[in-house]
Amino acid sequence: ANTVSDICISFFTRPDFAIRAAKIRTLSNAVNLNVYPLVSSEEKEAWENYTAANNFWVKKTVAIQEGDKSYQGVIVQPSYFVDYIHNDAELPLEEWEERDIYLPTWQSAPSIPRYAPYNWDLLGVSDTRSIDAILQTHRVVVSEAYQLPDPDDPIAVTETNINSDWFSDFLGPDQDPSEPISDIYYPILDKNDAVTIEDPENEKFVGILAMSIYWRNMIEN
């Protein structure tokens, strides 16, 4: 089995992530930014050990939010962590689904640790079309609009209610968390020798940087 030291090049925590994310959110009106590293089933145990040992960023991110005048959401001091990959119900993965790869949340900003602030698996959502697209093409993908569930689909309705409840903590009191929203998925590739990537499909894909933006903010004015 791999140890953390064997694969730590793939596992990375950026100390200034929250500061950079705050600048991007101000320019883009994004609700939040998330990093989803690609973790194979062979790396799963090592990844979970890594997150338990490197969750210092949550406390640091909350401290930065407290001084960020552009942030409208709530402040929750970190005291609750889940150091295993899980779904919305926070069930450990072996209790609900196993697969070859996972996309657990890692660093995010803002961070509101009312729920587990990391290790929720993006691939556990009911509609994976946009995720499948970025995994196949390694190119930027704008997801389908969500928060628009089929009322006859109880799984979609439940997922929408969970999303609205989660997003409500990031918004001001005059903003509706149930409005349509899309994610912009930007590929993180294992390439640092050029800004322009000519052939992304043939570069190693190691994760996603995701931005969530409400459509009301995209079409305002």
Side-chain angles (χ1 to χ4, degrees):
N2 289 330
T3 65
V4 172
S5 59
D6 291 332
I7 56 177
C8 64
I9 292 176
S10 299
F11 300 169
F12 179 69
T13 305
R14 190 176 188 103
D16 61 349
F17 180 82
I19 296 173
R20 289 173 176 265
K23 294 176 181 178
I24 294 173
R25 285 193 303 104
T26 299
L27 294 171
S28 66
N29 285 323
V31 180
N32 69 334
L33 277 76
N34 285 290
V35 172
Y36 297 95
L38 182 71
V39 177
S40 69
S41 56
E42 292 81 11
E43 297 171 324
K44 177 176 174 290
E45 181 178 358
W47 168 256
E48 292 173 339
N49 291 337
Y50 175 84
T51 63
N54 291 275
N55 59 26
F56 64 87
W57 64 266
V58 181
K59 183 176 181 179
K60 185 173 182 178
T61 298
V62 172
I64 290 171
Q65 284 162 212
E66 290 182 295
D68 182 359
K69 295 181 180 179
S70 68
Y71 174 62
Q72 301 181 58
V74 300
I75 298 293
V76 177
Q77 296 302 325
S79 61
Y80 176 62
F81 304 108
V82 174
D83 294 317
Y84 52 80
I85 298 174
H86 58 273
N87 66 355
D88 284 331
E90 296 186 354
L91 291 174
L93 205 119
E94 58 270 14
E95 293 186 22
W96 60 285
E97 184 177 1
E98 293 197 22
R99 66 175 89 85
D100 293 333
I101 61 169
Y102 314 104
L103 286 167
T105 51
W106 184 224
Q107 284 186 278
S108 62
S111 180
I112 304 175
R114 189 191 305 281
Y115 308 99
Y118 53 83
N119 273 339
W120 173 79
D121 187 19
L122 179 64
L123 284 169
V125 298
S126 59
D127 188 345
T128 62
R129 287 175 294 172
S130 54
I131 306 167
D132 294 338
I134 193 172
L135 289 173
Q136 292 167 9
T137 66
H138 299 178
R139 295 179 183 273
V140 178
V141 172
V142 179
S143 81
E144 60 285 339
Y146 56 97
Q147 301 291 78
L148 299 165
D150 179 347
D152 296 324
D153 183 345
I155 293 177
V157 171
T158 298
E159 192 172 85
T160 296
N161 290 336
I162 291 171
N163 285 338
S164 294
D165 185 56
W166 186 75
F167 278 121
S168 65
D169 281 343
F170 294 82
L171 305 176
D174 58 337
Q175 296 174 304
D176 182 357
S178 68
E179 291 186 15
I181 191 169
S182 281
D183 296 327
I184 299 174
Y185 294 137
Y186 194 92
I188 303 173
L189 305 179
D190 188 16
K191 182 179 179 68
N192 59 9
D193 58 349
V195 174
T196 303
I197 299 175
E198 301 292 344
D199 189 16
E201 290 184 38
N202 290 317
E203 298 293 342
K204 183 181 178 182
F205 180 92
V206 295
I208 296 171
L209 173 65
M211 301 168 57
S212 299
I213 305 179
Y214 276 95
W215 277 92
R216 62 169 177 257
N217 292 325
M218 296 188 197
I219 62 177
E220 188 176 23
N221 298 323

